[in-house]
Amino acid sequence: MFKEFLILISDYYSISKKYISFDILVPFCISLLIVYLGKNFSFFNDSYLGQIIVLLGILAGFNTTAISVLTSTSNENIDKLKNTYPKERIEIGGKKVSLFQILYINISYVILLSFIVIIFCILGCLLPIRLFVNNYIFLILSFVITASVIHILFLNIRNITFLYFSFFR
């Protein structure tokens, strides 16, 4: 089975230890609040999943374009990113990671995660999940999807600020 995507996920978490609270814990807490306030499940429906699919599709397209521009453009700023290393040493497999590689890994991770969530949302629209699971499991599934979407949004914010401060620091 195709398992290479696990390498990308591993690389992302190995370079993002410092940002775990922003990337994971804050979306977790916000999602708990959203699911708690919406525990009657009235807004966890096909319309909600459809909106998530559209939102993540747009973000995945934006991020794919960013990867294309980063990998196909050769200019002074991109070369500077490739040759600049963060203040604190970050390594993957014993090799130092440049700012360009960090940005590339972060954006690639967002694209991968967006497609995974889109797949689960499409399955949620196609399959009558509520008929097969009890409310508790449905609540957990709603929480996971909501937390994933907020996680992706926060990652996009972090990637944009990372790019900004890489050039204008």
Side-chain angles (χ1 to χ4, degrees), residues 50-115:
Q51 291 172 359
I52 290 173
I53 292 168
V54 170
L55 171 70
L56 295 182
I58 291 168
L59 288 174
F62 168 76
N63 286 309
T64 302
T65 302
I67 287 283
S68 297
V69 168
L70 284 173
T71 56
S72 64
T73 303
S74 180
N75 67 31
E76 183 180 321
N77 288 332
I78 300 297
D79 292 338
K80 181 180 174 185
L81 273 180
K82 289 179 180 179
N83 296 317
T84 305
Y85 295 89
K87 291 177 184 171
E88 60 184 59
R89 186 179 177 94
I90 298 177
E91 292 184 352
I92 296 177
K95 294 180 181 179
K96 284 183 10 176
V97 178
S98 70
L99 292 179
F100 179 83
Q101 291 168 310
I102 292 171
L103 183 61
Y104 191 87
I105 290 167
N106 286 343
I107 294 173
S108 298
Y109 173 77
V110 170
I111 294 168
L112 175 68
L113 190 59
S114 294
F115 286 136

Side-chain angles (χ1 to χ4, degrees), residues 43-58 117-118 120-126 145 149:
F43 67 93
F44 294 111
N45 54 31
D46 287 348
S47 174
Y48 177 72
L49 294 177
Q51 291 172 359
I52 290 173
I53 292 168
V54 170
L55 171 70
L56 295 182
I58 291 168
V117 174
I118 287 170
F120 280 105
C121 287
I122 289 171
L123 290 174
C125 288
L126 295 176
I145 287 175
V149 170

